[in-house]
Every structure is written in C-alpha cells, then in structure tokens.
Amino acid sequence: MVQPLRLGLAGLGTVGIGVVKIVQQHADLITARTGRPVVITAVSARDRTKNRDADLSAYAWETDPVALAQREDVDVFVEVMGGHEGAAKAATEAAIAAGKDVVTANKALLAHHGQTLAEAAEAAGRVIRFEAAVAGGIPVIKALTEGLAGNRITRVMGVMNGTCNYILTRMQNAGLPYETVFEEARQLGYLEADPNLDVGGIDAGHKLSLLAAIAFGTRVAFDAVELEGIGNVSIEDIELADDMGYHIKLLGVAQMSGRGLEQRMTPCLVPAESPFGQLQGGTNMVMLEGDSVGQIVLRGPGAGEGPTASAVMSDVIDIARGLRLPTFGRPAATLVPAVPAKAATPAPYYLRMTLLDKPGALAKIATCLGEAGISIDQMRQINQPGEEDDDAIVIFVTHKAAPADVAHALTSFAQTGVLVGQPVAIRIEEL
Amino acid sequence: MVQPLRLGLAGLGTVGIGVVKIVQQHADLITARTGRPVVITAVSARDRTKNRDADLSAYAWETDPVALAQREDVDVFVEVMGGHEGAAKAATEAAIAAGKDVVTANKALLAHHGQTLAEAAEAAGRVIRFEAAVAGGIPVIKALTEGLAGNRITRVMGVMNGTCNYILTRMQNAGLPYETVFEEARQLGYLEADPNLDVGGIDAGHKLSLLAAIAFGTRVAFDAVELEGIGNVSIEDIELADDMGYHIKLLGVAQMSGRGLEQRMTPCLVPAESPFGQLQGGTNMVMLEGDSVGQIVLRGPGAGEGPTASAVMSDVIDIARGLRLPTFGRPAATLVPAVPAKAATPAPYYLRMTLLDKPGALAKIATCLGEAGISIDQMRQINQPGEEDDDAIVIFVTHKAAPADVAHALTSFAQTGVLVGQPVAIRIEEL
C-alpha cells in the first residue's frame, strides 16, 4: 500500500483555496499520474471564521503556521501566505528543521533568503520548490532548470508583473495618464496592499533574481537588481514611442557577460511587433535564451487562483513522483556569488526633450550626442500645431550606446541652455 | 566517487553531432547541474568515413545500432537515427531488453509503437524519454507531463512542422503558389527525403498523437488522427483569408470531450492577430490548455542541430539527475484506448466558391446554407474587375457549424447548377 503524500497548507487566500480545489477535484487524476494519493491533512490561516469558497472541514486547523509546519502528519509544507519576514519565514525554517519538503509561492522570501533556506533544505535532504513564485501558471522554473539544462543560458527576459502590464497597456489603449489607470487598478483589486511592490517593480525584480540564480549558477542577488518602476512612464512617451513602432513594457533582463551579471527590471521600449510588444493586459511572458536552443518564449496567466494553484500543484506532484532537485538546480553550496556588471550592455535609447524655439537649438543637442559618441538612428521633431513660436518636442532613437555615454549626453544637454524641463531617456530592448 | 552516466549515441546526422558538441563543450556545466559526469562511450552510424563536424576519436564505433544498444559500457541509448521500422525499432527494443534507458528524437517510432515500447521499458524498470520528438527545442513534453500535471487538460494545439509553416508563410509573404515554394523548400534542404512526411502532415500528426496520449491518459492513436496536408492550400485562399483577417496554418488540435477524442492535423484559418496567426517561418508553437491554468503558449525553434540536441540533452540530464517518469506520464498499462470522436466539434468555416453570373445564383447558395442549419457571419463577393459578365468569387465565413452540416451544404451546392468548379471549405480555429 502506497502512503499518501500529506500536505500542510499555510494560507487560505486565493491561491490556497485554489490548491484545495485541485486536491479535492482531481484526486483520482493526480493519483493516476503520480501513483500515490495526495491529500491535505492540515491548514492554517489568520482568520478561521472567514467564509471561504471550499469545504475545509476534513482538515485539522492550526492558527500558527509554525505549528502546522511541524505536524507529524505533514510531509510537504505548502506556503502560500506571502511576506518575506515574520510568519512565512519562521514557518518555512521550521518545516525544513522538522524534515518537511517545502512548496512555496513566495518570491519575496526566496529573493531575500533563498540561499540560506536552500542550504538548510539541502543539508536536511529536503527540497524547496517555487514554480508558483515566478510568472504564475507558466512552468518557467521547470523549463529553465530542467528543460534547457543542456544549455549555457545567455539571457532571460520577462514581463512578470501582470498589474504593471495591465496599467501600461490600458494607458496605451485608452490614452489615459498613469494616475488615472493606477486608481482604476486599485479599485479593481489588482494592486498589492503595498502598491509599490507592483508598480515599483519590486515583485517583478524578486522573480528576475530567482531566474538569474538558476540561469547562471549564482547566489540570488536581489539587491543587485537595477529597479525602476512604472510611476514615471508618461502617456506622452507611450504615444510617441508607439508612433515610432515601439511599446513601453516593464521588462526584466538578466544576462551574464564578460562584464558580470546584469539584472534590470525597468521600463523599456520594445518593438511593437515583437512577442513582448504584443503582450496585452495581465498576461506574463518570459524569454529564455540558451546557446544551443536559441530563444524559447513562454506566455500565460501570471496570477490568479487557478494558474498559481496549478503551479503549486506541479511542484507537489513532482515531489509525489519522486522528482527531486536542489532549489536552484544545483547544490546551493556550489552557487557562486554574483559579480554585478559595473555597467549595462550598450543598447539603443529613446530620448525625448523639449527645445526652446531658438535658432541652432537642435544643432546644439546633436553636437552633445556626437561628442558623447552617440549616433542617431531616427529623429523626429513635433511642433505644436497652430502656434508658430511654440517650443518643439524632439525625439531621438539612437544606435547602440553605452549607458554612461547616454548619461554624459544628458548632462551636457543641460548645459546648452536650449532645453525646457528634463529630458527623458528610455532603454530599447530588442529580442 | 560518482559513476559517470554513459551514453551510446545511435545516429550522427545533424542532431547526433549537436549532442556530441553539447556533451563535449558543456561537460563541466552538466556535471555541476547533475552532480554526475555525462559522457559518450560509443557511437554508431551508417557511414564511418563521412566527414563530420566533431571529434569522435574517443568513442568506440559500432556499425550496428543493435550492438551499440547492448554494449556493457552504455547506460542510456540515445536514438537519433529516425525511421519507425528497421534499425531504430530493433535497436530501441534491444536497448530496453538489455536494461538501458532510452532517449529518442523519433516521433514516428513512438507514434507507431509507443505503447509496446513503453510497456516493455516499464516492465524492465527503464525509461523512454522523447522531448526532442515534439516541437524541437521547446520543452513541451516536460511542460505538459510535469508542469501542468495538476490540471485536467482540455485541449492541445500546435504548429509543429516548421517546413509547412515556412511554406505557408512564404506563399503569403511573397504571393507565390504552393508548387513554387515547395520547390524552393526542397532546394533549401527543408524537406524530408519523403516530402509527404512534412507536407502531408504526417510528421506533425505523429507529434500530435504523442501529446494527446500524455494529455488525456490514452494510448497513442496516430491512426485516429484526421490528417490533411498543405498540398491543396492555394495562394488564392491564403490571400482571400488574409483580407478577412485570417492566416492559414497547418494546425494540430487534440481535445477530449463527451464525443470522445478529437485529433486533427489539418490546414485551418486562424485569426491573423492571434499567437498562431503571427507565427512566421520555421518556428513552432504549442498551446496547452488546462482547467486550472488556462492557456499556456510555448514558442521556439522546432528543428535544427542546436535546438533538437538541447531537447535530447534535457532528457539525458533528467536521467543523470535521477528524475524518472513513465513514458507518457503515467504507467503504460493504465493508459486507456482512445475512443475517437465520431465528429469534430462545431467550428466556424471559411467557404469559397465561384458562381455563374446568373440571376438568383447567390440566393440558391444562401438557401442551401440555411437549409443545412448554417448561419453566415460574413460574406464577400469579388467580381473580376473590368469584365461585366464574369463569374463571381464568393466567400462566406460561417458561424459555428457541425462538420456534417458543412458537408451536407457542399453536397447541396453541387445540385444548384450555379457553381463553377468545386467549392473550398476550411475550418477556422480560434484560441
């Protein structure tokens, strides 16, 4: 008689209830696929009295997730509470110490404590799995760790925060400013309690740092992610970029080069016709690039009850099937400290500025670019219609330029005396 | 001291040499990821004297792949020869009988003999892995078998023959007829020795039947795949469909419903703006649909040395890591015979016909459609410019209709006496 795999489920929010539903509704299917029943024995959440969309009466209740993690009748601690300190961390540590495997959706916890937790789990002969922590229902951790394991990974790119992509595409499609759409998103319940986790790029940055660790065999280095949120993306830039064949996305890029590890989660221009450019709404997309395989693009729902629970269950089912791997695809003790690149790889840039209506103004700006070693691919001047003496908006798309040279050019623009306000510079990423 | 995992490599064509290169160039990386060296000990191919783009001097040579499969110093038999009878089948059977694991890129072999081979492997405690057999470098077998294992799979769709997609997109982009582009593809070396494997949809049908077995827990039923190649796709239909917002693709669909298992690999219209509609050239794309996760779309190179070798090596590395699963994701003995659906799910159809320039001709056709219970979504009449008495081309896009009703309408069209030549009917698939 095969023993069932017994889950202790910490967290009964959207994702937790999704897990309960799959375990209950697909019991036979899962047993057929794993050869072993998967059952929930105990659950925990802050509020027992809350009305939830699932029958939990068969499960033991723990108020304290640490107690749940330590129960004798739990084989796998499933953590879908969230938060990178406090209860989630304490309970995960307790689970490992008690000899449980861990399945978690908690990107923040692993971005901050992944190395320590992975080392502890491997010392205890236990696994930590986190498919649900990155890109929701897309099996990207598995694709990268296992599916492309024969490749030297050269680059990983991704749109991995559905809320930011919703806001940016809604701005573009409706011609609305950031503040308006942000407020819409808040009212729709799309934002985290701390909205800066979403719109500040932090949540997506957490995910990027986990992918980078797997891709490059480096310790998770969230603090080295260059982070910039979408709060400064203007509807003006979205529309001007669109006119030139680009869309603006909060795009993550992790790449390893002779310079070291680059990790960026910043607003970028991408070609409108590219897979990333065409991504609408809350959908996530990740591109994995390997030296043999080339580019693999994965697309799917990045959040929500069903998709995230699907990812949690894929980890649970791997454990039920006996498929066990180190957290980041190789033993945690062999992960090397990431050496952050001092400067990002050169890229084309989008530059927007407003020039005073003075003779020679454009020539001065062009001279600054030339002196910074930056050559121009496209230029457009947009005069306000109907008013002859108005200031002119000028857009440049440059050829590839080093970020330091772009910064130098921006500084020298300021000294020309022909600019109105601050210029805007946005990196262009091309697949 | 960990024992290396020893590969016997049968087949030294493009894919075989790709495997050699990865094993040689990424030895350290693979050991870091698996904890165990992966080495090639012996190889086989038809012609030893052929000049190959890799150093094979360290490997034992076998002329007979069966002898290779039985060697004492081989743990995993890697079959990249191709062909579903003869040497590939004999050697694979010999490998299993000799207690070896098998990694194969051979979709034809598994489409025809997958059940028998899987049962033999599982009886011997060995695995058969075939990531490289479906969609080249895209880790779609892993995504379906493991990544979405918590889902009841509802549908799988895919463009999985790069040559067909190359031909169809080249026809569309250059406005060239099928015969011209077929000849171009032949000269570029894109076609199999028997081109019907590609353009007849057989190769892609093999792949679809393997995905269906995993998705629905059914025995591989390649003979039940409704197969139609691209040889009858005309440039006229490609251009008319484009005008109405559709592209024509050789699209595979496998779905399980109350009617039974549907498996189709046929030319279809897909919305031009959809992921499948935008797929250009030799790239492959697969959509996996599950009840929890929704739709996951995977895109990547479907053939070639690097991508296919990458997929082969992902299977080899799984074995080196001790990740072992039954061939089709559950024990072969538990796979149930597929019950083919008697009729396909209703879908919208594209209908093109040429009508005689007679009063009431269009009314007669519309009456036939109405009597067959088919309602019309869009209709266009295209008169030849400049000649008043010319026959007219008429295009209908119908609402969803049962295939039997469409067949009935086509029959009754013929009895109206207003048609010139045969009408064309192509199914429309929407994601």
Side-chain angles (χ1 to χ4, degrees):
Chain A
M1 181 61 197
V2 182
Q3 293 299 312
L5 185 74
R6 300 166 303 176
L7 312 182
L9 179 63
L12 292 169
T14 307
V15 180
I17 294 301
V19 170
V20 170
K21 287 181 186 171
I22 295 180
V23 170
Q24 292 181 351
Q25 292 166 11
H26 287 334
D28 292 347
L29 185 65
I30 292 169
T31 305
R33 287 181 177 157
T34 64
R36 182 176 183 188
V38 171
V39 299
I40 295 169
T41 46
V43 298
S44 76
R46 259 175 295 194
D47 181 0
R48 187 167 186 172
T49 61
K50 191 172 162 187
N51 196 12
R52 292 181 173 95
D53 179 26
D55 177 7
L56 307 173
S57 59
Y59 312 143
W61 183 277
E62 297 280 358
T63 308
D64 178 5
V66 171
L68 179 79
Q70 294 169 326
R71 284 177 67 101
E72 283 286 329
D73 59 0
V74 164
D75 302 309
V76 181
F77 177 66
V78 180
E79 192 270 285
V80 290
M81 300 184 289
H84 71 274
E85 299 294 341
K89 178 162 179 273
T92 301
E93 289 168 345
I96 294 165
K100 319 295 188 189
D101 292 320
V102 173
V103 172
T104 180
N106 194 330
K107 58 231 76 169
L109 178 68
L110 291 177
H112 287 279
H113 305 292
Q115 181 67 25
T116 318
L117 291 170
E119 286 179 9
E122 290 164 30
R126 297 292 101 194
V127 298
I128 299 176
R129 303 294 304 261
F130 58 99
E131 187 64 81
V134 181
I138 305 174
V140 62
I141 299 293
K142 185 170 277 287
L144 179 61
T145 316
E146 304 170 38
L148 304 191
N151 291 261
R152 185 170 61 77
I153 302 298
T154 46
R155 193 162 53 142
V156 173
M157 295 172 73
V159 170
M160 298 186 286
N161 183 283
T163 302
C164 288
N165 204 51
Y166 166 82
I167 290 175
L168 292 173
T169 51
R170 171 89 177 129
M171 287 172 70
Q172 170 150 11
N173 297 340
L176 293 170
Y178 174 78
E179 291 72 18
T180 308
V181 178
F182 176 88
E183 197 47 42
E184 279 183 10
R186 185 201 293 276
Q187 284 173 15
L188 288 163
Y190 289 180
L191 285 159
E192 300 267 357
D194 173 5
N196 196 42
L197 286 175
D198 286 317
V199 298
I202 297 170
D203 167 81
H206 287 151
K207 296 167 181 169
L208 185 73
S209 72
L210 299 177
L211 292 177
I214 299 169
F216 307 118
T218 46
R219 294 176 174 223
V220 183
F222 169 66
D223 290 343
V225 177
E226 178 191 337
L227 270 188
E228 185 188 329
I230 62 169
N232 291 324
V233 176
S234 69
I235 180 62
E236 191 174 15
D237 285 318
I238 286 178
E239 291 178 341
L240 291 168
D242 194 23
D243 287 344
M244 300 182 89
Y246 294 97
H247 291 168
I248 300 184
K249 297 288 171 189
L250 180 67
L251 185 69
V253 180
Q255 65 191 114
M256 184 64 89
S257 70
R259 305 157 180 273
L261 175 63
E262 293 178 41
Q263 299 178 98
R264 289 187 294 283
M265 181 59 68
T266 60
C268 292
L269 268 63
V270 296
E273 295 302 309
S274 69
F276 283 115
Q278 291 168 347
L279 195 66
Q280 296 275 318
T283 307
N284 279 202
M285 181 177 283
V286 183
M287 188 284 288
L288 306 173
E289 185 182 82
D291 62 346
S292 289
V293 79
Q295 296 184 340
I296 300 288
V297 177
L298 311 164
R299 192 187 114 128
E305 175 182 306
T308 313
S310 166
V312 168
M313 288 307 297
S314 81
D315 284 338
V316 167
I317 289 172
D318 269 6
I319 292 171
R321 282 169 159 167
L323 307 179
R324 303 177 68 83
L325 274 182
T327 309
F328 298 104
R330 61 177 84 185
T334 70
L335 295 167
V336 299
V339 178
K342 289 212 176 59
T345 304
Y349 277 80
Y350 160 98
L351 307 175
R352 172 176 61 83
M353 63 206 76
T354 303
L355 297 190
L356 289 174
D357 185 22
K358 277 190 180 174
L362 186 60
K364 285 187 181 170
I365 294 298
T367 302
C368 291
L369 287 169
E371 284 173 1
I374 297 170
S375 61
I376 298 163
D377 181 33
Q378 294 185 59
M379 194 278 285
R380 286 198 194 174
Q381 179 164 337
I382 297 153
N383 291 305
Q384 307 295 341
E387 299 191 31
E388 274 178 39
D389 62 346
D390 249 345
D391 303 331
I393 295 170
V394 177
I395 313 289
F396 295 94
V397 171
T398 74
H399 285 292
K400 278 189 186 177
D405 293 340
V406 174
H408 178 72
L410 293 179
T411 307
S412 55
F413 288 170
Q415 293 158 359
T416 59
V418 301
L419 278 198
V420 181
Q422 291 295 315
V424 168
I426 311 178
R427 189 176 170 95
I428 301 176
E429 287 285 354
E430 291 174 344
L431 270 185
Chain B
M1 179 61 195
V2 181
Q3 292 298 313
L5 185 74
R6 300 164 303 174
L7 312 182
L9 179 63
L12 293 170
T14 306
V15 179
I17 295 302
V19 171
V20 169
K21 287 181 186 169
I22 294 179
V23 169
Q24 292 180 351
Q25 291 166 11
H26 286 336
D28 292 346
L29 185 65
I30 292 169
T31 305
R33 287 181 178 158
T34 63
R36 182 177 182 189
V38 171
V39 299
I40 294 168
T41 47
V43 298
S44 76
R46 259 174 297 196
D47 181 359
R48 186 167 188 173
T49 61
K50 192 172 160 186
N51 196 12
R52 293 183 172 92
D53 179 25
D55 178 6
L56 308 172
S57 59
Y59 311 143
W61 182 277
E62 296 281 357
T63 308
D64 178 5
V66 171
L68 178 78
Q70 294 170 325
R71 285 177 66 101
E72 283 285 329
D73 59 1
V74 164
D75 302 310
V76 180
F77 177 65
V78 179
E79 192 268 288
V80 289
M81 300 183 289
H84 71 273
E85 298 296 342
K89 179 163 177 274
T92 301
E93 289 168 345
I96 294 165
K100 318 297 189 187
D101 291 321
V102 173
V103 172
T104 180
N106 194 329
K107 57 230 73 166
L109 178 68
L110 292 177
H112 287 280
H113 306 291
Q115 181 67 25
T116 319
L117 291 170
E119 287 180 9
E122 290 164 31
R126 297 292 101 194
V127 298
I128 300 176
R129 302 293 306 260
F130 58 99
E131 187 64 81
V134 180
I138 305 175
V140 62
I141 299 293
K142 185 171 280 286
L144 179 61
T145 316
E146 304 170 38
L148 304 192
N151 290 261
R152 184 172 62 78
I153 302 297
T154 47
R155 195 162 52 142
V156 173
M157 294 170 75
V159 169
M160 299 186 285
N161 183 283
T163 302
C164 287
N165 204 52
Y166 166 81
I167 290 174
L168 293 173
T169 51
R170 171 86 177 130
M171 285 172 71
Q172 170 151 11
N173 297 341
L176 292 170
Y178 174 77
E179 292 71 20
T180 307
V181 177
F182 176 88
E183 197 48 43
E184 278 183 12
R186 186 202 293 278
Q187 284 173 15
L188 289 164
Y190 289 179
L191 286 158
E192 300 268 357
D194 172 5
N196 197 44
L197 286 174
D198 286 317
V199 297
I202 298 169
D203 166 81
H206 287 152
K207 296 167 182 169
L208 185 73
S209 71
L210 300 177
L211 292 177
I214 300 169
F216 306 117
T218 46
R219 294 177 174 221
V220 183
F222 169 65
D223 291 344
V225 178
E226 179 191 337
L227 268 188
E228 186 188 328
I230 61 170
N232 291 324
V233 176
S234 69
I235 180 64
E236 191 173 15
D237 285 318
I238 286 178
E239 291 178 342
L240 290 168
D242 193 22
D243 286 344
M244 301 184 87
Y246 294 97
H247 291 167
I248 300 183
K249 298 288 173 188
L250 180 68
L251 185 69
V253 180
Q255 66 191 115
M256 184 65 86
S257 70
R259 306 158 179 271
L261 176 63
E262 293 178 41
Q263 300 178 96
R264 288 185 296 282
M265 181 58 69
T266 61
C268 293
L269 267 64
V270 295
E273 296 302 311
S274 68
F276 283 116
Q278 291 169 348
L279 194 68
Q280 296 275 318
T283 308
N284 278 201
M285 180 177 283
V286 182
M287 188 282 289
L288 307 173
E289 186 182 81
D291 62 346
S292 289
V293 79
Q295 297 185 339
I296 300 288
V297 177
L298 311 162
R299 191 188 114 129
E305 176 182 307
T308 313
S310 166
V312 167
M313 288 307 296
S314 81
D315 284 339
V316 167
I317 288 170
D318 269 6
I319 292 171
R321 282 169 158 168
L323 307 180
R324 304 176 69 83
L325 274 183
T327 310
F328 298 104
R330 62 178 83 184
T334 70
L335 296 167
V336 299
V339 178
K342 288 209 177 62
T345 304
Y349 277 79
Y350 160 97
L351 306 175
R352 171 176 62 84
M353 63 206 77
T354 304
L355 298 189
L356 289 173
D357 183 23
K358 279 188 181 176
L362 185 60
K364 286 186 181 172
I365 294 298
T367 302
C368 292
L369 287 169
E371 285 174 358
I374 298 171
S375 61
I376 298 163
D377 180 34
Q378 294 185 59
M379 194 278 285
R380 286 198 194 174
Q381 179 166 336
I382 298 153
N383 292 304
Q384 308 294 339
E387 301 191 29
E388 275 178 39
D389 62 347
D390 248 346
D391 304 329
I393 295 170
V394 177
I395 313 288
F396 295 94
V397 171
T398 75
H399 285 293
K400 277 189 187 176
D405 293 340
V406 174
H408 178 72
L410 294 179
T411 307
S412 56
F413 289 170
Q415 292 157 1
T416 59
V418 301
L419 279 197
V420 181
Q422 292 294 316
V424 168
I426 310 178
R427 191 178 168 94
I428 301 176
E429 288 284 356
E430 291 174 346
L431 269 186

